[in-house]
């Protein structure tokens, strides 16, 4: 496999790429719906709603239960959801296989690492700390930290500006069409993970530069780290 010899830094999506967040998101949504005395949604439904930020996910939740909330009702529901998610997020969010060791390998080989997620920034510090990966990231960008969310390329432009990179020097790793579209629009090389969340559609249809089934395969693209990460 060809090496990406010009890569100077790597940016990652969070949900569906580094972590399996569906159980926590679904549980918080189910608790919110119960509080509002509405019908519920399944974990599988929520899996296909993730990727465009909390507001869009909740809009999809309400559509699934045939509810058209007013602006005020939606704001109240979002607050209820956030309260529940804050309580269940840590125990219901887990790293995918090989993520921790692969991030450690990249960090030890002096690759600056960035996190670029549409998840609200308020949830990120505690979550990354509980997962044990916070210290690997030089830059963390969540919803509210950038002017536009993915699939807009703005978050990746911000990463490049912060790290002082050209587009071909930043590798972006994600699991959804929003990730691949954002990276393509920013002219960055892309890695897609097949195991993530992509609205029930194969991520191969987004035509990433590389498509892997296992997170640690990222190491095979880079000249310095060795592809020997273990569980």
């Amino acid at each position: 496999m060809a090496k990406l010899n010009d890569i100077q830094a790597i940016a990652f999506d969070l949900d569906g790429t580094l972590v399996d967040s569906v159980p926590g998101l679904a549980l918080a949504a189910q608790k919110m719906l119960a509080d509002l005395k509405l019908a519920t949604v399944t974990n599988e439904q929520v899996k296909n709603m993730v990727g465009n930020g909390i507001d869009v996910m909740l809009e999809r939740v309400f559509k699934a239960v045939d509810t058209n909330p007013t602006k005020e009702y939606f704001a109240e529901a979002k607050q209820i959801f956030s309260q529940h998610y804050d309580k269940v997020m840590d125990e219901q969010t887990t790293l995918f296989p090989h993520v921790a060791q692969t991030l450690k390998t990249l960090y030890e080989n002096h690759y600056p690492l960035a996190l670029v997620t549409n998840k609200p920034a308020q949830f990120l510090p505690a979550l990354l700390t509980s997962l044990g990966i916070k210290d690997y990231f030089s830059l963390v960008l969540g919803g509210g930290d950038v002017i536009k969310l993915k699939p807009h390329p703005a978050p990746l432009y911000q990463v490049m500006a912060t790290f002082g990179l050209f587009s071909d020097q930043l590798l972006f790793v994600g699991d959804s069409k929003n990730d691949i579209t954002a990276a393509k629009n920013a002219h960055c090389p892309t890695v897609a993970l097949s195991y993530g969340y992509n609205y029930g559609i194969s991520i191969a249809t987004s035509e990433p530069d590389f498509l892997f089934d296992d997170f640690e395969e990222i190491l095979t693209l880079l000249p310095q780290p060795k592809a020997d990460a273990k569980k």
Side-chain angles (χ1 to χ4, degrees):
M1 180 178 293
K3 302 291 184 183
L4 295 176
N5 293 314
D6 293 331
I7 295 300
Q8 300 297 312
I10 308 166
F12 300 90
D13 171 56
L14 180 64
D15 296 341
T17 299
L18 303 182
V19 302
D20 183 6
S21 56
V22 164
L25 291 167
L27 182 57
Q30 290 156 1
K31 287 178 175 290
M32 176 199 73
L33 292 170
D35 288 349
L36 296 172
K37 296 180 171 50
L38 295 173
T40 195
V41 289
T42 66
N43 286 30
E44 191 62 29
Q45 284 178 295
V46 172
K47 181 177 180 179
N48 293 327
M49 298 172 179
V50 175
N52 294 94
I54 293 297
D55 283 8
V56 175
M57 189 198 80
L58 292 179
E59 288 171 3
R60 292 167 176 158
V61 167
F62 281 120
K63 184 176 180 180
V65 298
D66 197 25
T67 299
N68 186 22
T70 64
K71 183 177 180 180
E72 293 75 15
Y73 188 88
F74 185 90
E76 178 186 355
K78 182 179 177 181
Q79 184 177 14
I80 294 171
F81 170 86
S82 296
Q83 290 170 348
H84 285 304
Y85 190 50
D86 194 51
K87 293 177 182 177
V88 304
M89 176 176 57
D90 288 354
E91 65 186 61
Q92 295 287 332
T93 304
T94 57
L95 293 171
F96 284 114
H98 306 132
V99 166
Q101 183 58 48
T102 301
L103 292 177
K104 182 174 185 287
T105 298
L106 293 169
Y107 177 81
E108 290 176 344
N109 281 272
H110 309 295
Y111 283 103
L113 305 181
L115 185 70
V116 179
T117 173
N118 288 347
K119 184 187 288 293
Q122 71 192 75
F123 295 120
L124 299 177
L127 178 60
L128 296 178
T129 298
S130 72
L131 292 169
I133 59 174
K134 182 176 183 291
D135 291 342
Y136 296 140
F137 295 101
S138 303
L139 178 65
V140 174
L141 298 177
D145 292 331
V146 293
I147 59 172
K148 295 284 187 179
L149 298 177
K150 299 173 294 182
H152 197 283
L156 295 183
Y157 290 146
Q158 191 164 332
V159 174
M160 287 185 276
T162 300
F163 289 163
L165 301 177
F166 295 111
S167 59
D168 60 353
Q169 295 176 314
L170 178 68
L171 177 65
F172 189 56
V173 181
D175 69 294
S176 77
K177 63 182 180 181
N178 291 330
D179 299 320
I180 304 307
T181 299
K184 285 185 175 182
N185 287 340
H187 305 290
C188 297
T190 57
V191 168
L193 284 314
S194 64
Y195 55 71
Y197 317 144
N198 192 40
Y199 315 107
I201 303 169
S202 170
I203 190 59
T205 61
S206 294
E207 299 183 344
D209 296 313
F210 302 93
L211 176 60
F212 295 139
D213 298 324
D214 192 313
F215 189 83
E216 70 178 341
E217 292 181 84
I218 297 163
L219 298 177
T220 66
L221 297 176
L222 303 169
Q224 293 179 355
K226 307 300 182 183
D228 58 356
K230 304 298 181 184
K231 285 186 180 179

